[in-house]
Amino acid sequence: FLQMKFDKEGNTTYFEKKKTELYQELGLQARDLRFQHVMSIATRNNRIIMRMEFLKAVITPEFLLILDYRNLSLEHWLLNELASQLAGEGQLVTYSLPFEFRAIEAILQYWISKLQGRLNTLQPQILETLEALVDPKLLSVDRSKLHILLQNGKSLSELETDVKVFKETILEILDEEEVIEELCLSKWTDPQIFEESTSGIDHAEEMELLLENYYRQAEDLLNEARELRVLIDDSESIIFINLDSHRNVMMRLNLQLTMGTFSVSLFGLIGVAFGMNLESSLEEDPRIFWLVTGIMFLGSGLIWRRLLSFLGRHLEPPLPPHVPAVLKKSQPAAGRVEIKTSLKGETFGLGRGTLTN
Protein backbone atom coordinates (compact mmCIF):
# COMPACT_ATOMS: atom_id res chain seq x y z
CA PHE A 1 0.00 0.00 0.00
CA LEU A 2 1.08 3.55 -0.72
CA GLN A 3 0.36 5.25 2.59
CA MET A 4 0.16 8.73 4.09
CA LYS A 5 0.40 9.00 7.87
CA PHE A 6 -0.81 11.97 9.98
CA ASP A 7 -0.06 12.31 13.68
CA LYS A 8 -1.76 14.51 16.30
CA GLU A 9 0.39 17.54 15.46
CA GLY A 10 -0.40 17.30 11.74
CA ASN A 11 2.99 15.99 10.71
CA THR A 12 2.87 13.95 7.50
CA THR A 13 4.99 10.99 6.37
CA TYR A 14 4.84 8.93 3.18
CA PHE A 15 5.89 5.30 2.78
CA GLU A 16 4.98 2.03 1.09
CA LYS A 17 4.31 -1.20 2.91
CA LYS A 18 3.08 -4.66 2.02
CA LYS A 19 -0.38 -5.69 3.07
CA THR A 20 0.85 -8.51 5.32
CA GLU A 21 3.24 -6.20 7.18
CA LEU A 22 0.57 -3.53 7.51
CA TYR A 23 -2.20 -5.60 9.11
CA GLN A 24 0.30 -7.30 11.43
CA GLU A 25 1.59 -3.93 12.58
CA LEU A 26 -1.94 -2.60 13.14
CA GLY A 27 -3.16 -5.78 14.81
CA LEU A 28 -5.86 -6.34 12.18
CA GLN A 29 -6.96 -9.23 10.01
CA ALA A 30 -6.34 -9.49 6.29
CA ARG A 31 -10.06 -9.12 5.58
CA ASP A 32 -10.07 -5.79 7.44
CA LEU A 33 -7.82 -4.30 4.75
CA ARG A 34 -9.82 -5.73 1.87
CA PHE A 35 -10.85 -2.28 0.75
CA GLN A 36 -13.52 -2.13 -1.91
CA HIS A 37 -15.46 0.77 -3.40
CA VAL A 38 -18.09 0.63 -0.67
CA MET A 39 -18.96 2.86 2.27
CA SER A 40 -18.65 1.63 5.85
CA ILE A 41 -17.34 2.60 9.28
CA ALA A 42 -16.23 -0.25 11.56
CA THR A 43 -14.01 -0.86 14.58
CA ARG A 44 -11.46 -3.68 14.98
CA ASN A 45 -9.04 -4.14 17.86
CA ASN A 46 -9.24 -0.49 18.98
CA ARG A 47 -8.88 0.68 15.37
CA ILE A 48 -11.44 2.53 13.25
CA ILE A 49 -11.63 1.43 9.62
CA MET A 50 -13.38 3.92 7.33
CA ARG A 51 -14.22 3.12 3.74
CA MET A 52 -15.59 6.04 1.70
CA GLU A 53 -15.44 4.50 -1.78
CA PHE A 54 -11.98 5.53 -3.02
CA LEU A 55 -11.05 7.04 0.38
CA LYS A 56 -9.67 4.33 2.68
CA ALA A 57 -8.47 5.23 6.17
CA VAL A 58 -7.41 3.56 9.44
CA ILE A 59 -7.71 5.66 12.60
CA THR A 60 -5.90 4.98 15.88
CA PRO A 61 -5.68 7.12 19.05
CA GLU A 62 -2.25 8.35 17.89
CA PHE A 63 -2.38 8.70 14.08
CA LEU A 64 -4.47 8.59 10.91
CA LEU A 65 -3.42 6.34 8.03
CA ILE A 66 -4.64 7.02 4.48
CA LEU A 67 -4.18 4.11 2.04
CA ASP A 68 -3.99 4.30 -1.75
CA TYR A 69 -4.48 8.06 -1.92
CA ARG A 70 -3.47 8.41 -5.58
CA ASN A 71 -6.38 10.57 -6.59
CA LEU A 72 -6.07 14.18 -7.78
CA SER A 73 -8.89 15.67 -5.70
CA LEU A 74 -7.96 13.52 -2.72
CA GLU A 75 -4.29 14.51 -2.82
CA HIS A 76 -5.23 18.19 -2.92
CA TRP A 77 -7.34 17.79 0.22
CA LEU A 78 -4.70 15.71 2.00
CA LEU A 79 -1.88 18.12 1.34
CA ASN A 80 -3.69 21.44 1.85
CA GLU A 81 -6.43 20.89 4.44
CA LEU A 82 -6.30 17.64 6.38
CA ALA A 83 -3.00 18.22 8.20
CA SER A 84 -4.08 21.63 9.53
CA GLN A 85 -7.48 20.28 10.56
CA LEU A 86 -5.96 17.45 12.56
CA ALA A 87 -3.58 19.88 14.25
CA GLY A 88 -6.54 21.98 15.46
CA GLU A 89 -5.98 24.89 13.06
CA GLY A 90 -9.09 24.29 10.94
CA GLN A 91 -12.78 24.85 11.60
CA LEU A 92 -13.54 21.48 13.17
CA VAL A 93 -15.86 21.65 16.16
CA THR A 94 -14.09 18.66 17.77
CA TYR A 95 -10.66 20.30 18.09
CA SER A 96 -10.84 20.03 21.94
CA LEU A 97 -11.75 16.32 21.83
CA PRO A 98 -9.41 13.34 21.33
CA PHE A 99 -7.64 12.74 18.06
CA GLU A 100 -10.07 10.16 16.65
CA PHE A 101 -12.92 12.70 16.83
CA ARG A 102 -10.99 15.17 14.69
CA ALA A 103 -10.05 12.46 12.20
CA ILE A 104 -13.62 11.19 11.83
CA GLU A 105 -15.05 14.68 11.49
CA ALA A 106 -12.43 15.70 8.92
CA ILE A 107 -13.23 12.68 6.73
CA LEU A 108 -17.00 13.11 7.06
CA GLN A 109 -16.71 16.83 6.34
CA TYR A 110 -14.66 16.15 3.23
CA TRP A 111 -17.16 13.63 1.93
CA ILE A 112 -20.27 15.74 2.56
CA SER A 113 -18.51 18.73 0.96
CA LYS A 114 -17.72 16.60 -2.08
CA LEU A 115 -21.38 15.58 -2.40
CA GLN A 116 -22.52 19.19 -1.95
CA GLY A 117 -20.08 20.31 -4.63
CA ARG A 118 -21.51 17.78 -7.08
CA LEU A 119 -25.02 19.08 -6.42
CA ASN A 120 -23.91 22.71 -6.80
CA THR A 121 -22.44 21.81 -10.19
CA LEU A 122 -25.53 19.97 -11.43
CA GLN A 123 -28.18 22.38 -10.20
CA PRO A 124 -27.45 25.42 -12.45
CA GLN A 125 -26.96 23.18 -15.48
CA ILE A 126 -30.30 21.45 -14.95
CA LEU A 127 -32.15 24.72 -14.30
CA GLU A 128 -30.67 26.35 -17.42
CA THR A 129 -31.61 23.35 -19.57
CA LEU A 130 -35.15 23.19 -18.19
CA GLU A 131 -35.67 26.92 -18.76
CA ALA A 132 -34.73 26.48 -22.40
CA LEU A 133 -36.97 23.44 -22.86
CA VAL A 134 -40.11 24.73 -21.13
CA ASP A 135 -40.39 27.82 -23.35
CA PRO A 136 -43.97 27.68 -24.77
CA LYS A 137 -42.91 29.53 -27.93
CA LEU A 138 -40.88 26.55 -29.13
CA LEU A 139 -42.74 24.37 -31.62
CA SER A 140 -40.23 21.55 -31.24
CA VAL A 141 -37.76 20.39 -28.62
CA ASP A 142 -34.02 20.83 -29.10
CA ARG A 143 -32.52 17.35 -29.10
CA SER A 144 -29.17 18.61 -27.84
CA LYS A 145 -30.90 20.07 -24.77
CA LEU A 146 -32.68 16.77 -24.18
CA HIS A 147 -29.36 14.95 -24.39
CA ILE A 148 -27.85 17.31 -21.82
CA LEU A 149 -30.88 16.87 -19.56
CA LEU A 150 -30.59 13.09 -19.85
CA GLN A 151 -26.92 13.18 -18.82
CA ASN A 152 -27.63 15.54 -15.92
CA GLY A 153 -30.54 13.36 -14.80
CA LYS A 154 -28.26 10.34 -14.76
CA SER A 155 -25.66 12.23 -12.73
CA LEU A 156 -28.38 13.36 -10.33
CA SER A 157 -29.51 9.75 -9.84
CA GLU A 158 -25.94 8.71 -9.05
CA LEU A 159 -25.67 11.57 -6.56
CA GLU A 160 -28.92 10.56 -4.85
CA THR A 161 -27.62 7.00 -4.54
CA ASP A 162 -24.32 8.15 -3.01
CA VAL A 163 -26.09 10.40 -0.51
CA LYS A 164 -28.48 7.61 0.48
CA VAL A 165 -25.59 5.20 1.05
CA PHE A 166 -23.75 7.81 3.14
CA LYS A 167 -26.85 8.50 5.21
CA GLU A 168 -27.62 4.81 5.74
CA THR A 169 -24.03 4.14 6.81
CA ILE A 170 -24.25 6.77 9.54
CA LEU A 171 -27.74 5.61 10.53
CA GLU A 172 -26.50 2.05 11.06
CA ILE A 173 -23.97 3.36 13.57
CA LEU A 174 -26.50 5.58 15.34
CA ASP A 175 -28.79 2.58 15.84
CA GLU A 176 -26.04 0.61 17.60
CA GLU A 177 -25.03 2.07 20.95
CA GLU A 178 -22.16 -0.39 21.33
CA VAL A 179 -20.61 0.71 18.04
CA ILE A 180 -20.73 4.35 19.14
CA GLU A 181 -18.93 3.38 22.35
CA GLU A 182 -16.27 1.51 20.37
CA LEU A 183 -15.61 4.55 18.17
CA CYS A 184 -14.37 6.43 21.24
CA LEU A 185 -10.88 4.91 21.17
CA SER A 186 -9.27 7.19 23.76
CA LYS A 187 -12.00 6.39 26.25
CA TRP A 188 -10.81 2.78 26.35
CA THR A 189 -7.07 3.45 26.28
CA ASP A 190 -7.08 6.03 29.11
CA PRO A 191 -10.58 6.26 30.66
CA GLN A 192 -9.47 8.45 33.58
CA ILE A 193 -8.36 11.30 31.36
CA PHE A 194 -10.90 10.97 28.53
CA GLU A 195 -13.97 9.91 30.48
CA GLU A 196 -15.78 13.22 30.00
CA SER A 197 -15.31 16.25 27.82
CA THR A 198 -14.99 19.83 29.02
CA SER A 199 -18.76 20.35 28.70
CA GLY A 200 -19.51 17.43 30.98
CA ILE A 201 -20.92 15.23 28.19
CA ASP A 202 -19.73 11.68 27.84
CA HIS A 203 -17.56 10.92 24.79
CA ALA A 204 -20.14 8.49 23.44
CA GLU A 205 -22.73 11.27 23.46
CA GLU A 206 -20.23 13.58 21.75
CA MET A 207 -19.70 10.95 19.04
CA GLU A 208 -23.45 10.51 18.64
CA LEU A 209 -23.96 14.27 18.25
CA LEU A 210 -21.17 14.39 15.69
CA LEU A 211 -22.70 11.61 13.59
CA GLU A 212 -26.20 13.08 13.89
CA ASN A 213 -24.90 16.41 12.60
CA TYR A 214 -23.61 14.85 9.39
CA TYR A 215 -26.71 12.67 9.14
CA ARG A 216 -28.84 15.82 9.09
CA GLN A 217 -26.58 17.41 6.50
CA ALA A 218 -26.94 14.32 4.31
CA GLU A 219 -30.72 14.43 4.79
CA ASP A 220 -30.84 18.10 3.72
CA LEU A 221 -28.67 17.33 0.71
CA LEU A 222 -30.93 14.45 -0.27
CA ASN A 223 -34.01 16.69 0.02
CA GLU A 224 -32.44 19.24 -2.33
CA ALA A 225 -31.68 16.50 -4.84
CA ARG A 226 -35.25 15.21 -4.58
CA GLU A 227 -36.66 18.69 -5.17
CA LEU A 228 -34.50 18.96 -8.27
CA ARG A 229 -35.77 15.56 -9.42
CA VAL A 230 -39.39 16.68 -8.91
CA LEU A 231 -38.65 19.84 -10.91
CA ILE A 232 -37.32 17.73 -13.78
CA ASP A 233 -40.44 15.53 -13.74
CA ASP A 234 -42.75 18.57 -13.67
CA SER A 235 -40.84 20.19 -16.51
CA GLU A 236 -41.13 17.03 -18.58
CA SER A 237 -44.89 17.14 -18.07
CA ILE A 238 -44.97 20.77 -19.22
CA ILE A 239 -42.91 19.89 -22.30
CA PHE A 240 -45.31 17.10 -23.21
CA ILE A 241 -48.29 19.43 -22.71
CA ASN A 242 -46.76 22.06 -25.00
CA LEU A 243 -46.02 19.47 -27.66
CA ASP A 244 -49.56 18.08 -27.40
CA SER A 245 -50.95 21.60 -27.73
CA HIS A 246 -48.98 22.28 -30.91
CA ARG A 247 -49.95 18.86 -32.23
CA ASN A 248 -53.62 19.61 -31.62
CA VAL A 249 -53.29 22.91 -33.50
CA MET A 250 -51.80 21.12 -36.51
CA MET A 251 -54.50 18.45 -36.40
CA ARG A 252 -57.22 21.11 -36.23
CA LEU A 253 -55.71 22.95 -39.20
CA ASN A 254 -55.49 19.72 -41.14
CA LEU A 255 -59.14 19.00 -40.36
CA GLN A 256 -60.20 22.46 -41.50
CA LEU A 257 -58.35 22.07 -44.80
CA THR A 258 -59.92 18.66 -45.28
CA MET A 259 -63.39 20.11 -44.75
CA GLY A 260 -62.61 22.91 -47.22
CA THR A 261 -61.47 20.38 -49.81
CA PHE A 262 -64.64 18.36 -49.25
CA SER A 263 -66.82 21.46 -49.72
CA VAL A 264 -65.13 22.44 -52.98
CA SER A 265 -65.28 18.87 -54.25
CA LEU A 266 -68.97 18.58 -53.40
CA PHE A 267 -70.02 21.57 -55.52
CA GLY A 268 -67.37 20.81 -58.10
CA LEU A 269 -69.68 18.03 -59.28
CA ILE A 270 -71.70 20.73 -61.05
CA GLY A 271 -68.66 21.70 -63.11
CA VAL A 272 -67.98 18.03 -63.80
CA ALA A 273 -71.51 17.60 -65.08
CA PHE A 274 -71.11 20.53 -67.51
CA GLY A 275 -67.70 19.30 -68.57
CA MET A 276 -69.11 16.04 -69.90
CA ASN A 277 -69.40 15.68 -73.68
CA LEU A 278 -73.18 15.96 -73.54
CA GLU A 279 -75.22 18.59 -75.31
CA SER A 280 -77.99 20.60 -73.70
CA SER A 281 -79.56 23.99 -74.25
CA LEU A 282 -77.83 25.52 -71.21
CA GLU A 283 -74.32 25.70 -72.65
CA GLU A 284 -75.54 28.02 -75.40
CA ASP A 285 -76.41 30.77 -72.90
CA PRO A 286 -73.27 32.88 -72.14
CA ARG A 287 -74.55 33.73 -68.63
CA ILE A 288 -74.73 30.13 -67.48
CA PHE A 289 -70.93 29.92 -66.95
CA TRP A 290 -70.89 32.76 -64.43
CA LEU A 291 -74.07 31.51 -62.79
CA VAL A 292 -72.73 27.97 -62.28
CA THR A 293 -69.34 29.26 -61.10
CA GLY A 294 -70.97 31.55 -58.58
CA ILE A 295 -73.21 28.76 -57.26
CA MET A 296 -70.15 26.49 -56.87
CA PHE A 297 -68.10 29.04 -54.89
CA LEU A 298 -71.05 30.25 -52.81
CA GLY A 299 -72.18 26.75 -51.94
CA SER A 300 -68.67 25.61 -51.10
CA GLY A 301 -68.19 28.60 -48.79
CA LEU A 302 -71.51 28.04 -47.03
CA ILE A 303 -70.83 24.32 -46.49
CA TRP A 304 -67.32 25.05 -45.19
CA ARG A 305 -68.62 27.63 -42.69
CA ARG A 306 -71.26 25.20 -41.46
CA LEU A 307 -68.65 22.49 -40.96
CA LEU A 308 -66.36 24.90 -39.08
CA SER A 309 -69.23 25.94 -36.82
CA PHE A 310 -70.04 22.29 -36.10
CA LEU A 311 -66.37 21.61 -35.35
CA GLY A 312 -66.12 24.59 -32.99
CA ARG A 313 -69.18 23.58 -30.99
CA HIS A 314 -67.85 20.07 -30.39
CA LEU A 315 -64.27 21.05 -29.57
CA GLU A 316 -64.97 23.82 -27.09
CA PRO A 317 -64.47 22.72 -23.45
CA PRO A 318 -67.61 22.60 -21.35
CA LEU A 319 -68.24 25.48 -18.97
CA PRO A 320 -67.65 24.76 -15.29
CA PRO A 321 -70.74 24.50 -13.12
CA HIS A 322 -71.85 27.70 -11.43
CA VAL A 323 -70.98 27.81 -7.75
CA PRO A 324 -72.78 30.46 -5.67
CA ALA A 325 -70.50 32.89 -3.91
CA VAL A 326 -72.39 32.77 -0.64
CA LEU A 327 -73.90 29.63 0.83
CA LYS A 328 -76.56 30.07 3.45
CA LYS A 329 -78.33 27.42 5.43
CA SER A 330 -80.81 28.44 8.03
CA GLN A 331 -82.81 26.07 10.19
CA PRO A 332 -84.84 27.92 12.83
CA ALA A 333 -85.91 24.74 14.62
CA ALA A 334 -84.59 24.29 18.16
CA GLY A 335 -81.67 21.93 18.76
CA ARG A 336 -80.00 22.61 15.38
CA VAL A 337 -77.03 24.59 14.24
CA GLU A 338 -77.43 27.90 12.40
CA ILE A 339 -74.54 28.72 10.07
CA LYS A 340 -74.07 32.00 8.25
CA THR A 341 -71.03 32.33 6.05
CA SER A 342 -69.62 35.70 5.17
CA LEU A 343 -66.95 36.08 2.49
CA LYS A 344 -65.91 39.61 3.41
CA GLY A 345 -62.25 40.43 2.96
CA GLU A 346 -61.70 41.62 6.51
CA THR A 347 -62.81 38.39 8.22
CA PHE A 348 -61.60 34.83 8.02
CA GLY A 349 -63.71 31.75 8.78
CA LEU A 350 -67.34 31.82 9.91
CA GLY A 351 -69.06 35.15 10.35
CA ARG A 352 -71.37 34.02 13.11
CA GLY A 353 -72.05 30.66 14.66
CA THR A 354 -74.77 29.89 17.12
CA LEU A 355 -75.04 26.54 18.80
CA THR A 356 -78.17 25.88 20.83
CA ASN A 357 -78.66 22.86 23.06
Side-chain angles (χ1 to χ4, degrees), residues 92-347:
L92 300 180
V93 297
T94 56
Y95 66 92
S96 60
L97 294 172
F99 176 76
E100 66 270 14
F101 284 80
R102 300 197 299 271
I104 292 175
E105 184 182 5
I107 294 176
L108 294 178
Q109 186 184 72
Y110 165 75
W111 198 254
I112 200 71
S113 300
K114 188 175 182 63
L115 295 175
Q116 183 67 50
R118 290 169 58 184
L119 180 62
N120 294 338
T121 303
L122 283 174
Q123 188 172 12
Q125 297 177 0
I126 293 177
L127 294 179
E128 181 181 359
T129 305
L130 292 178
E131 185 178 0
L133 290 174
V134 178
D135 189 359
K137 298 180 181 180
L138 298 177
L139 299 180
S140 61
V141 179
D142 190 356
R143 292 185 177 181
S144 62
K145 296 292 184 180
L146 286 178
H147 183 66
I148 295 175
L149 183 62
L150 179 62
Q151 292 180 341
N152 292 334
K154 183 179 179 180
S155 302
L156 183 61
S157 300
E158 295 176 354
L159 176 61
E160 289 178 348
T161 302
D162 293 341
V163 176
K164 288 180 181 178
V165 172
F166 178 78
K167 189 181 72 170
E168 291 173 358
T169 302
I170 297 179
L171 184 60
E172 290 177 359
I173 301 175
L174 292 175
D175 292 339
E176 299 291 338
E177 185 176 354
E178 297 179 356
V179 178
I180 298 178
E181 292 280 351
E182 293 175 356
L183 291 177
C184 304
L185 304 179
S186 300
K187 182 177 180 179
W188 303 103
T189 56
D190 197 348
Q192 294 181 355
I193 299 178
F194 299 101
E195 183 176 3
E196 293 184 354
S197 63
T198 55
S199 59
I201 303 177
D202 186 74
H203 280 177
E205 297 179 2
E206 291 278 7
M207 182 63 70
E208 184 176 0
L209 293 175
L210 174 64
L211 296 176
E212 285 182 353
N213 177 35
Y214 286 96
Y215 177 82
R216 288 193 299 268
Q217 292 186 33
E219 183 68 24
D220 295 339
L221 189 61
L222 185 59
N223 290 334
E224 293 181 10
R226 287 173 178 170
E227 291 177 359
L228 200 58
R229 173 66 61 186
V230 171
L231 183 60
I232 292 178
D233 296 338
D234 294 342
S235 300
E236 289 179 353
S237 301
I238 295 175
I239 292 172
F240 292 147
I241 291 174
N242 289 337
L243 292 179
D244 291 339
S245 176
H246 293 301
R247 189 182 298 111
N248 292 337
V249 171
M250 299 302 297
M251 292 177 62
R252 187 185 181 99
L253 178 61
N254 186 23
L255 184 59
Q256 293 175 353
L257 293 177
T258 302
M259 290 187 299
T261 304
F262 170 75
S263 303
V264 173
S265 301
L266 182 62
F267 282 87
L269 295 175
I270 302 177
V272 173
F274 279 92
M276 298 172 62
N277 294 326
L278 298 177
E279 296 181 357
S280 63
S281 59
L282 296 177
E283 67 270 7
E284 298 178 357
D285 192 348
R287 294 172 298 177
I288 290 297
F289 171 78
W290 300 108
L291 179 62
V292 171
T293 303
I295 292 174
M296 290 173 54
F297 280 99
L298 181 61
S300 299
L302 291 176
I303 292 296
W304 191 39
R305 291 298 303 271
R306 293 290 296 177
L307 291 175
L308 291 180
S309 177
F310 175 81
L311 177 65
R313 287 197 305 269
H314 285 75
L315 291 184
E316 289 180 355
L319 295 176
H322 176 68
V323 179
V326 179
L327 299 177
K328 295 183 179 180
K329 181 179 181 182
S330 177
Q331 296 179 353
R336 297 184 181 179
V337 181
E338 178 181 0
I339 300 176
K340 294 182 179 179
T341 305
S342 176
L343 300 181
K344 295 181 180 180
E346 65 270 13
T347 59

